[in-house]
């Protein structure tokens, strides 16, 4: 193509379609410009009109999200959201997807996903202090699953560990729907002074535009366009669209940028992420309502003979675009050069809302900013699946006639009930000396040391249940927020804000758009009820292969705050002499549960709707209980139900001999009691002398308290109902099986 078409060659409709533009979009561009764009300009429209950059199918639905709150400093629309945490300090956080690249090249795809989200945080002026991830992998029978898992985890670990930002929490889920579409969602949180926040604005007529960081290569060209297409197993995937990351350069870039900010030599700043220089330049100009003049010949390159469109669309990593005043250019350069990084003047901020770019002293791009940054919004058809009610059918008779032991053993074989230690051991969770507790706690807790005598800790969690989302997307959205809130609450934290990463199939599929719209509504309902704002997020469409979409996966990343010096609740059995209580409904729903999926080998049943009023009371119960300064352990009940929650508390106990005596109340559905997954339910383990206080606190909060048993030193789980033993299992044997399930993925 490069031999036949140059940057300034006139475009055609056929060429536009090859680059992913529709006939309507191309005609809109031509009519607005009163000419056909040249090839370099067409490449800009191809990237910026892509779903990945434009959000043209999803943007209008975000109006439903609650984005305001007393702590909100910066909501959606910037590199990251920012919340006030008091004493002049704030926290910046964001979650992004790197799904398509992680299937093509798992190691680099995941590593550069981490690098990109780190830059989103420190471009705001915040020092990254914690990361987490949410990963979805495919069928165990697929020959590439093991290498994808291994590559993704190693890529995340190597990049984060080298930069020195701890990976403190995450979620991992296996299902055949992700076989050729793994999901890699990366989250980072940073700390910043409230009066030292930087934004992505190219403001100040006459100011200088500066390129900083690594050199530009051809890696990632048309990466944003690739991320806006579905895969086909019959077409060879092009590896050049995957970027290559260098965490050591990232660390230098981080420190140099924070030093430059502290020195006051930066006016505006943005990461060169998806669509590279194109997105950063046009978006910065759009926010500031200015124009830019850029000389592409001044861009540092690591490959010779790069065309303008390659310089514009390259997604080479560890690069940023800055704006500074002319009198501070030399100071800015000295800082970056001290850190062995390029800092090159490549342009000027001008008036007129237009961007002109030259190469070899010829104008190769001359476009109005708004035409590029405000593409036509897509009108997508939306309709529910015709077999929705069939999906909700659950054959209870088939479960009732089976023995409890057979159902329990089936659940114990589930790959999604497994010890993640082999995975998380590749991440350094303690670097920086801020992390409290274990990476396997319900939520990670991080110290904030910058606030002097005031004790502040932050908690983070990522969560989503794709099984529920496929069966009932609205409940899937509700539950993703609800589960995050519960995980934060049992660790003693109050939720203050969320970011989202909305992973779906093709928006051109009416069923997928229905899933998306319903998920947005569910997320919003939970956020409204709990008064939690959405401050940042990401949409990843086209996660499908040959027309087979992934399950809707609206991943939620939530941040909570702990504003006292009280001890955190335990997450496991800290003694062999504890009482056990179930807080919340005695029975849980089986629709969409891990038990139903394991038993019937498919997703089935209508998920039970999250009681948002009860959820609010449950969060208040957790807060009141902790303030009583009692000693107890708490664990939310979700995947696998009560029985899996109890076993996880036993597996993490410091006492290998910890056993469980569980008493099922009479006239209770045993399956729903043990395996149901209704939100909100939690299990408490506590010293016997604390029972009256806990019961009274539950009563005052309006949540149900049910005593269900105790721990012991017999190393077994014995379950009784009406005095008769209905199930018995040796906990060390269960733990051994639980521990070994993921070993095969790591070498």
């Amino acid at each position: 193509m490069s031999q036949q078409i140059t940057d300034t060659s006139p475009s055609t409709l056929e060429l536009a379609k090859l680059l992913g533009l529709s006939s309507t979009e191309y005609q809109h561009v031509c009519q607005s410009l009163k000419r056909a764009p040249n090839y370099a300009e067409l490449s800009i429209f191809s990237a910026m009109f892509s779903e990945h950059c434009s959000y043209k199918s999803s943007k209008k639905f975000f109006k439903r999200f609650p984005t305001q709150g007393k702590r909100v400093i910066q909501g959606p629309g910037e590199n990251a959201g920012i919340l006030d945490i008091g004493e002049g300090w704030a926290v910046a956080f964001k979650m992004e997807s790197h799904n398509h690249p992680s299937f093509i090249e798992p190691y680099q795809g995941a590593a550069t996903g981490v690098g990109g989200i780190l830059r989103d945080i420190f471009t705001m002026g915040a020092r990254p202090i914690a990361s987490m991830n949410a990963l979805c992998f495919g069928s165990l029978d697929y020959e590439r699953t093991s290498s994808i898992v291994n590559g993704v985890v190693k890529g995340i670990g190597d990049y984060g560990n080298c930069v020195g930002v701890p990976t403190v929490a995450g979620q991992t889920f296996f299902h055949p729907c992700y076989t050729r579409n793994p999901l890699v969602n990366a989250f980072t949180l940073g700390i910043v002074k409230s009066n030292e926040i930087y934004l992505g604005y190219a403001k100040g007529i006459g100011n200088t535009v500066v390129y900083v960081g690594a050199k530009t290569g051809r890696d990632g060209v048309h990466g944003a366009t690739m991320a806006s297409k579905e895969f086909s197993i019959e077409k060879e995937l092009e590896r050049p669209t995957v970027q290559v990351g260098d965490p050591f350069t990232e660390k230098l870039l981080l420190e140099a940028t924070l030093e430059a900010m502290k020195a006051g030599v930066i006016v505006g700043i943005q990461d060169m992420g998806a669509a590279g220089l194109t997105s950063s330049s046009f978006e910065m100009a759009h926010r500031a309502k200015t124009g830019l003049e850029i000389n592409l010949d001044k861009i540092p390159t690591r490959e010779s003979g790069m065309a303008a469109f390659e310089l514009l669309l390259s997604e080479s990593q560890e690069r940023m675009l800055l704006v500074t005043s002319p009198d501070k250019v030399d100071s800015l350069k000295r800082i970056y050069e001290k850190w062995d990084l390029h800092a090159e003047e490549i342009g000027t901020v001008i008036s007129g809302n237009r961007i002109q770019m030259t190469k070899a002293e010829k104008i190769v791009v001359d476009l109005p900013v708004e035409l590029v940054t405000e593409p036509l919004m897509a009108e997508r058809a939306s309709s529910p699946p015709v077999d929705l009610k069939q999906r909700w059918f659950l054959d209870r008779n088939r479960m009732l006639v089976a023995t409890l032991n057979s159902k329990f053993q089936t659940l114990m074989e589930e790959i999604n009930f497994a010890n993640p230690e082999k995975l998380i051991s590749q991440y350094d969770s303690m670097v920086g000396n801020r992390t409290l507790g274990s990476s396997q706690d319900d939520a990670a807790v991080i110290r904030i040391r910058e606030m002097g005598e005031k004790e502040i800790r932050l908690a983070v969690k990522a969560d989503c249940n794709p099984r529920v989302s496929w069966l009932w997307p609205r409940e899937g959205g509700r539950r993703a927020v609800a589960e995050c809130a519960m995980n934060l609450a049992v660790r003693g934290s109050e939720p203050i804000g969320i970011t989202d990463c909305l992973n779906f199939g093709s928006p051109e599929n009416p069923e997928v758009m229905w899933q998306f719209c319903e998920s947005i509504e569910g997320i919003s309902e939970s956020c409204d009820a709990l008064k939690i704002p959405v401050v940042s997020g990401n949409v990843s469409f086209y996660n499908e292969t040959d027309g087979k979409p992934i399950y809707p996966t609206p991943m939620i990343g939530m941040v909570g705050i702990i504003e006292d010096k009280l001890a955190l609740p335990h997450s496991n059995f800290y003694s062999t002499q504890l009482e056990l209580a179930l807080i919340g409904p005695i029975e849980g729903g089986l629709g969409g549960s891990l038990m139903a999926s394991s038993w019937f080998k498919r997703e089935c049943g209508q998920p039970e709707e999250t009681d948002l009023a009860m959820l609010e009371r449950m969060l208040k119960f957790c807060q009141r209980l902790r303030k009583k300064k009692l000693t107890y352990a708490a664990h939310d009940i979700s995947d696998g139900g009560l029985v899996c929650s109890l076993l996880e508390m036993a597996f993490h106990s410091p006492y290998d001999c910890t056993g469980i005596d569980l008493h099922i109340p009479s006239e209770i559905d045993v399956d729903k009691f043990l395996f149901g997954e209704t939100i909100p339910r939690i299990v408490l383990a506590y010293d016997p002398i604390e029972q009256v206080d806990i019961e009274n606190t539950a009563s005052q909060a309006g949540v149900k308290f049910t005593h269900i048993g105790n721990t012991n030193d017999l190393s077994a789980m014995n379950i009784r109902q009406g005095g008769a033993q209905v199930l018995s299992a040796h906990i060390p044997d269960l733990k051994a099986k639980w521990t070994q399930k993921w070993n095969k993925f790591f070498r």
Side-chain angles (χ1 to χ4, degrees), residues 6 63 139-140 174 196 269-270 294 298 317 340 358 375 400 540 634 639 677 697:
T6 67
K63 295 176 183 178
S139 171
L140 305 183
F174 287 86
E196 296 181 2
I269 179 171
Q270 182 152 323
I294 292 178
K298 293 188 176 181
Q317 295 291 285
D340 286 332
T358 60
L400 290 171
S540 176
D639 278 14
E677 297 180 9
T697 305

Side-chain angles (χ1 to χ4, degrees), residues 137-149:
F137 299 116
S139 171
L140 305 183
D141 298 328
Y142 178 50
E143 66 276 7
R144 283 196 64 202
T145 294
S146 181
S147 64
I148 290 172
V149 173

Side-chain angles (χ1 to χ4, degrees), residues 565-585:
K565 299 181 180 181
L566 299 177
L568 299 176
H570 293 273
S571 294
N572 50 38
F573 296 145
Y574 56 92
S575 167
T576 59
Q577 305 295 319
L578 302 174
E579 297 299 310
L580 301 175
L582 173 64
I583 310 297

